[in-house]
Amino acid sequence: MVAEEDLRTVLAELHRLRTRVPQLTGALAAGVDGLVVAHDTPGVDPEGLAALTAAALGVAVRVADATGNGGFRELLVRGERGYVATYAAGRTAVLTLLAQDRVNVGRLHLEGRRAGARIGELLDAAEAVRPHPRTAPARTRTARAPRATAAEARTATDS
């Protein structure tokens, strides 16, 4: 959970971004898990957009990894009436921007990358100081076959 002050700061960054790039029609900061952090997306369901962003991010990360191009940095989708651009925002978040078709894509990338870096720094710093719940002491397990983790299960089904 992000502190209220941090949420206001992220939202203010989204508003400044929309001022710097007038052709933006929406801006959303979300966790890589698909949960909304902050949004300025009139006419667009932010929860749905965050979930779709997480799904697209999963594919983009796998494509970058499979091609040996390193970690995810950004994704650009061009539709008939505009763009959807997603930028890495630190370790745990992404910034998704919606823009009109007439946007200057170079300017979109410049401002999106800068805003993603600022939002990422803020959210990563907030995560670093957030108290984590204590874990319960490990219990003794009986002799059962170990359960597969979610990642192992996905890997097994992907094969």
Side-chain angles (χ1 to χ4, degrees), residues 19-144:
T19 299
R20 288 191 307 270
V21 184
Q23 295 81 19
L24 286 184
T25 59
L28 169 106
V32 295
D33 56 3
L35 297 178
V36 175
V37 173
H39 69 91
D40 181 11
T41 56
V44 175
D45 171 37
E47 287 83 15
L49 180 59
L52 288 170
T53 296
L57 176 64
V59 172
V61 166
R62 289 187 69 170
V63 168
D65 185 49
T67 58
N69 286 328
F72 171 80
R73 291 293 174 255
E74 60 195 50
L75 172 67
L76 181 68
V77 176
R78 181 177 182 201
E80 292 175 355
R81 291 182 293 277
Y83 293 88
V84 179
T86 299
Y87 302 92
R91 294 183 310 274
T92 61
V94 292
L95 170 66
T96 295
L97 303 177
L98 309 175
Q100 298 170 355
D101 190 43
R102 61 187 178 90
V103 72
N104 178 318
V105 176
R107 178 72 186 262
L108 176 68
H109 283 322
L110 176 69
E111 297 294 348
R113 291 169 185 155
R114 285 179 179 169
R118 283 191 294 273
I119 290 169
E121 287 172 8
L122 175 71
L123 295 177
D124 286 351
E127 177 70 20
V129 298
R130 188 177 97 196
H132 293 284
R134 291 186 169 197
T135 56
R139 297 188 323 199
T140 306
R141 298 186 113 182
T142 58
R144 286 188 206 165

